Structure formats: C-alpha cells, structure tokens
Amino acid sequence: MKSIRLREGKERSLQRRHPWVFDSAIAKGGGDAGETVRIDSAKGEFLAWASFSPESKIRARVWSFDEAQRIDAAFLAQRVQTAVRARTRLDIQSDSMRLVHGESDGLPGLIVDRYADTLVAQFLSAGAERFKPVLADALLAATGLTRLYERSDTSSRALEGLQPAAGWLRGEGPTQLTITEHDWKLTLDIATGHKTGFYLDQRDSRAKFAAHTRRLQFQRVLNCYCYTGGFTVAALSGGAAHVTSIDSSAPALERAAANVALNGFDAARTDFMDADVNGSMRRFIEEGRTFDAIILDPPKLAPTAAHAERAARAYKDINRLAFKLLEPGGVLFTYSCSGGISADLFHKIVASAGADAGVDGFITERLGGAPDHPMTLEFPEGEYLKGLVVLKKVQ
C-alpha cells in the first residue's frame, strides 16, 4: 500500500476528521490517480485511508479514519447502503431525492440523485472514478433500481485530471422524466438539464414560497433565473395572480411553460422572458413596475473563495435592483449557491444592497438546501446553498 507523509503540524484537520488533504500539506509520497493511499503524520502515525489525486489541489480525499478498514467493494457497498438508508429518516415530500452527497456521506466525489425510478450519478473525484463500476453496482443493489445514468460532465472533473463522461452506465430508457414534488408534477431531462437534471436542493424552499404566497396573497411575482419554473409553479399553486419568469435559456423556458401546463395552471397567469436578468430588472424600474415578491436564485458565481470578491459585486447588484422593484411589505427570497460565499458574507452583501437601494428589511428566515443535501459536523464545506427571506419594511 502506498503512503503519503504530511508536513509537521498539517495533521490537525484530519484529527478533527475533515476529509481533505491539500497538496501543500504533503511532505512526501503519492500514488496513481484514484489509488487508495495511507496518510501518516510527520511522526509516522496513521491518520487515514484516502484516494489520491495527483493533479488536484485537493491531493487526497479520505475514505476512512479507521486503520483496520479495508477500502474495497464491501466497504463502498456499506457506505452506499448507509446513505440510502439515511434518507428514509428524512421528511422528503417527493419521489426524487439526493441519495449520496459526496463527503457528507463518506463517499468523496460521488453525487447521486434519484428521479423516480432512475438514478443519476456524478463521479467527480479520481477515487470515485476508479471505483465507478463497483459504486454503480452498489447503487443498484441498495435501491433495487435498474437504470443508472452518468452526468460526469462538469468542469470540476478537469481539476482531477478527468475527461467529461455522460451516458447510461446501467440499463437504458428515456432521459426525459416526470417527478412528483409536494402536490406538483415537474419534468426534466437528465441528459441535458443542469447538474444531474434538476435542482432538488430547492425542494423545501419552493414549498416555503408557495406557503408565503398563500398566506400573504402575493399578486405579482418575479422569478429571476427561473430555469424550468419550479418556483413559478410554486407561486401559482400558492395563488399568485401573475408570475413573470426570466431566464437566458430558451429550452429551460419551454420546459417551464410545459410544467405550468402540466399542473393545470392558466398560461395567461405567466410571462416567460428569454432575457438578461439585470437588464430586465433595470427596465422594469424605468417602467415603474413593482412586485409583491421576488425570487433571486442565480447560478454559481463563486465556486471558490478566490472568486468571492467579483461574485459579491454581482450578488449585490441583483439584490439592489430587486429591493427597488419590491413593493413596501413585499418579500424577497434570495439565494447563493456559491461555495466561495459564506452565509455571513452573503448576509453582508444583501445588507449592503439594501442600503444602496435606500430600503431596510426584516430577515424572517434563513434557508439552506433540502435535508437530503446534508452538511456534517466535520465538513462545513457541504453547506453551499444559502438563502434569506427578507420582508421589505414599509417606510
């Protein structure tokens, strides 16, 4: 078994059970891409078993902190079964959910979503890639399903020295699926949709928005970066009189309109705009338009802390425009899915946007990803999705 030895003092994060080892922490040793290596302290004491990635800044990702553990097919099958079983303890109002959430489930670099009777997986680390056939078999065994589609076509694969990969790993069939969420039906395409096909992490936020709409009787709703219309359907189900939805993807907007129709809502209650969000909001301000509620759910703007400063300016700008468009007493649901933007920094950005817009508001709720996208005690980086519900004060 190959091993790596850490520099003096670099063992502390592993002793706290954090699962990453960066290249700068390693004094000597290595392995092949995805190979399991032993990690020792500078004094030669065992710390962990990890998968090695010779091209990534995250040079090793921990499988286990138990020296007696063998990293083999049985170990991975048990980890998969534990992750799947954990979801049965959660309140998930859907036939679709995240079954494996990478490091949070002790399976670094592996993301698996279930959409009704189909699994979709992303193998995003060298270790997950090396064990791909074993993990695929384990996933089918743990769920009893027969279809597994791969969506390992994200830019993060390049950081691991891996080529993009997509297609059926097990079974075959249509890639356009219909899922149930709360009382709604939603369609997606696992071959072309964002991430693994859909944003399951916003499931509970969509329900919260529907509840807010019902309670506060929103009449005019603006859904920015609407993608395939999950929040649009939520707003309409809550009784919104009209929803304006903006996205720069025509195919996503077509699916959003189809989702509205699938749930039996009148198309006259919606407008879908293939347009830039910032430009559209500026034009609405010039036209004197206002909204009772606004959703801001932009794509990832800061994948790492190195991108935070530039992303902060973009987040501030869209939130400032939203505050200007909100009616007094209106509600803003605003999000960041950027790992490089902490919850504290996001709060500061939104506060600064409010100050520039000349408005103040109550933060009535802090939101995060649905519980099937967990953050563990040892791995705070698992908290990537941050949201605030802001009630604009009446001046």
Side-chain angles (χ1 to χ4, degrees):
M1 182 69 67
K2 294 179 182 177
S3 66
I4 59 177
R5 182 163 294 201
L6 302 187
R7 299 182 186 278
E8 185 71 38
K10 295 298 184 180
E11 72 282 353
R12 295 189 185 98
S13 65
L14 288 177
Q15 289 172 341
R16 294 193 299 268
R17 303 225 160 194
H18 191 282
W20 289 351
V21 176
F22 289 90
D23 57 348
S24 59
I26 298 174
K28 64 178 181 179
D32 297 331
E35 187 174 8
T36 299
V37 297
R38 174 188 169 109
I39 304 177
D40 291 327
S41 71
K43 297 178 180 179
E45 300 162 326
F46 173 83
L47 294 170
W49 298 111
S51 63
F52 192 76
S53 181
E55 296 195 32
S56 175
K57 288 290 184 182
I58 305 174
R59 197 54 55 92
R61 298 172 188 260
V62 172
W63 291 120
S64 175
F65 295 96
D66 179 0
E67 188 173 5
Q69 182 68 64
R70 289 178 57 86
I71 310 304
D72 54 17
F75 165 80
L76 295 171
Q78 182 60 52
R79 282 284 168 92
V80 168
Q81 289 169 3
T82 298
V84 171
R85 190 163 54 245
R87 272 56 184 179
T88 66
R89 305 289 294 175
L90 304 175
D91 181 18
I92 300 174
Q93 299 298 313
S94 177
D95 62 357
S96 302
M97 67 199 70
R98 176 147 297 180
L99 292 180
V100 179
H101 193 53
E103 282 81 350
S104 294
D105 283 301
L107 291 163
L110 178 65
I111 299 295
V112 184
D113 289 334
R114 175 175 184 161
Y115 296 109
D117 63 353
T118 301
L119 299 178
V120 184
Q122 293 178 317
F123 301 86
L124 304 179
S125 68
E129 177 71 16
R130 190 180 183 99
F131 282 111
K132 185 188 293 184
V134 170
L135 289 166
D137 290 342
L139 286 163
L140 297 184
T143 60
L145 301 180
T146 59
R147 304 195 327 148
L148 171 60
Y149 194 87
E150 180 178 9
R151 279 296 304 273
S152 304
D153 52 359
T154 71
S155 59
S156 62
R157 288 259 298 184
L159 301 177
E160 295 279 317
L162 303 173
Q163 294 298 312
W168 289 105
L169 279 182
R170 300 288 188 273
E172 59 183 14
T175 60
Q176 295 198 42
L177 307 174
T178 300
I179 66 171
T180 299
E181 178 179 292
H182 307 298
D183 295 327
W184 319 317
K185 297 288 186 181
L186 299 167
T187 66
L188 61 127
D189 192 326
I190 58 174
T192 61
H194 293 179
K195 298 174 73 174
T196 62
F198 192 60
Y199 290 99
L200 293 172
D201 51 4
Q202 288 285 34
R203 180 193 315 111
D204 290 358
S205 281
R206 287 187 283 268
K208 283 183 180 293
F209 190 80
H212 273 69
T213 303
R214 193 172 298 112
R215 182 173 61 84
L216 298 175
Q217 299 182 338
F218 299 148
Q219 297 302 297
R220 302 178 309 283
V221 173
L222 176 61
N223 183 11
C224 298
Y225 311 98
C226 70
Y227 188 44
T228 56
F231 277 106
T232 301
V233 169
L236 293 170
S237 72
H242 192 272
V243 184
T244 299
S245 303
I246 308 174
D247 202 279
S248 59
S249 168
L253 291 170
E254 289 177 7
R255 190 168 293 279
N259 282 330
V260 167
L262 180 63
N263 288 278
F265 298 120
D266 185 353
R269 295 170 61 192
T270 62
D271 282 328
F272 291 101
M273 297 174 56
D274 183 353
D276 173 71
V277 167
N278 295 57
S280 298
M281 288 200 291
R282 288 188 172 90
R283 187 171 70 254
F284 292 160
I285 292 170
E286 293 171 359
E287 295 170 352
R289 292 182 64 178
T290 59
F291 299 88
D292 302 314
I294 298 175
I295 304 109
L296 289 179
D297 188 18
K300 185 187 298 184
L301 301 178
T304 68
H307 302 85
E309 184 176 349
R310 183 178 63 182
R313 292 194 295 270
Y315 281 121
K316 180 179 176 180
D317 191 38
I318 58 175
N319 280 278
R320 178 182 60 83
L321 295 171
F323 278 126
K324 286 181 173 291
L325 285 169
L326 265 183
E327 282 281 349
V331 176
L332 171 65
F333 274 58
T334 182
Y335 298 92
S336 165
C337 64
S338 296
I341 301 291
S342 68
D344 181 61
L345 176 57
F346 187 57
H347 183 163
K348 292 176 180 177
I349 292 168
V350 176
S352 181
D356 281 8
V359 302
D360 196 4
F362 298 117
I363 295 177
T364 60
E365 285 192 67
R366 294 179 180 273
L367 303 174
D372 48 328
H373 297 65
M375 173 185 66
T376 65
L377 297 174
E378 297 89 0
F379 188 64
E381 290 86 350
E383 184 186 25
Y384 65 97
L385 180 62
K386 287 79 59 175
L388 297 173
V389 180
V390 185
L391 174 67
K392 182 176 176 179
K393 285 186 180 179
V394 177
Q395 302 298 320

